[in-house]
Amino acid sequence: MTEPVALPRTDVLEDGFDPVADLLVGGEQRPAGLEPVNLRAIGPMQRALLVIDGTVTKFLEAVMMEPVQVHIVEQSELELDAPHRELKAPAGSRVIVRTVEIKGARTERHYSHASSLLVLDRLPAEVREGLADHPQGVGRILADAGLETRREVLWYGRERFKEDSGVATGSRICRTYRIISGGLPLMLINESFPGDLELND
């Protein structure tokens, strides 16, 4: 995850109202590769996904009216070679690197891509077991474990995708947040959603 830098909040609405502002703990920090998001130019589904404080998979199931499946792309352990600021974890900490894709079980529609860094020694046994045994979203694993947590949104923005030729091919709305328990960050999660993802008719 790219080191954030200070950027002007050009995504603030003309009337000064920003429904995401009071959630952001990173203030004007966001990775340089992320463009600002005009909140009035995106639909209610996109705005809801930026502010939701709960299980994204369950939210998607309720809104899209189909079960969703979590496909694990990568899950491995490594040791941090430098201190991690957002996780407040020193060099040498063991972390789980996890990447998942969330798709509709019936339509196979792509709903979300999520990459996570989880501090291994801060995770209760039930959470570690859930990560090892069940292809579920992190939010659902935490809920099943009965762990009390809170979320802190660090930044959000729009990520552009380009071909090798440099031609833009699409975009995603994304956000990065951390999950806190017992006063310490357990994990850092980046979620991205297709730029055309909206409510079903």
Side-chain angles (χ1 to χ4, degrees), residues 57 70 72 98 100 130-131 133-141 144:
T57 52
V70 177
I72 298 177
R98 190 173 197 254
V100 303
L131 291 167
D133 299 336
H134 305 290
Q136 300 183 79
V138 165
R140 188 166 294 179
I141 291 172
D144 289 347

Side-chain angles (χ1 to χ4, degrees), residues 2-195:
T2 309
E3 188 74 11
V5 296
L7 294 172
R9 288 295 307 281
T10 54
D11 46 351
V12 175
L13 303 180
E14 291 179 2
D15 60 7
F17 176 63
D18 181 356
V20 188
D22 61 345
L23 301 177
L24 292 172
V25 298
E28 297 181 355
Q29 300 289 313
R30 81 170 161 260
L34 290 186
E35 299 176 5
V37 174
N38 181 342
L39 295 174
R40 291 203 191 281
I42 62 176
M45 177 75 163
Q46 299 281 2
R47 291 195 295 270
L49 286 166
L50 287 178
V51 303
I52 185 173
D53 185 15
T55 306
V56 170
T57 52
K58 183 55 66 179
F59 172 78
L60 288 168
E61 287 180 338
V63 173
M64 308 308 288
M65 284 304 293
E66 74 165 323
V68 301
Q69 294 178 333
V70 177
H71 301 274
I72 298 177
V73 178
E74 176 194 6
Q75 185 164 305
S76 58
E77 292 184 22
L78 58 81
E79 188 174 289
L80 293 177
D81 56 8
H84 196 290
R85 182 175 61 182
E86 282 78 24
L87 286 173
K88 299 181 181 178
S93 298
R94 298 292 298 176
V95 296
I96 296 174
V97 180
R98 190 173 197 254
T99 303
V100 303
E101 297 282 349
I102 299 175
K103 297 181 179 181
R106 291 196 294 264
T107 63
E108 296 189 354
R109 184 178 182 184
H110 174 80
Y111 289 131
S112 178
H113 173 94
S115 57
S116 311
L117 273 181
L118 306 93
V119 184
L120 191 58
D121 65 2
R122 296 177 188 171
L123 301 177
E126 296 88 347
V127 175
R128 293 197 299 268
E129 291 167 6
L131 291 167
D133 299 336
H134 305 290
Q136 300 183 79
V138 165
R140 188 166 294 179
I141 291 172
L142 292 172
D144 289 347
L147 190 64
E148 293 186 5
T149 63
R150 62 183 174 87
R151 288 165 171 77
E152 292 183 343
V153 180
L154 301 180
W155 55 77
Y156 69 95
R158 184 187 298 276
E159 182 181 13
R160 300 283 181 182
F161 292 92
K162 296 183 178 180
E163 297 176 344
D164 293 340
S165 63
V167 177
T169 59
S171 68
R172 293 176 182 269
I173 302 296
C174 56
R175 67 172 184 167
T176 296
Y177 62 96
R178 57 189 173 194
I179 295 181
I180 311 288
S181 183
L184 288 173
L186 298 182
M187 57 194 75
L188 184 71
I189 300 175
N190 176 267
E191 293 172 337
S192 63
F193 310 96

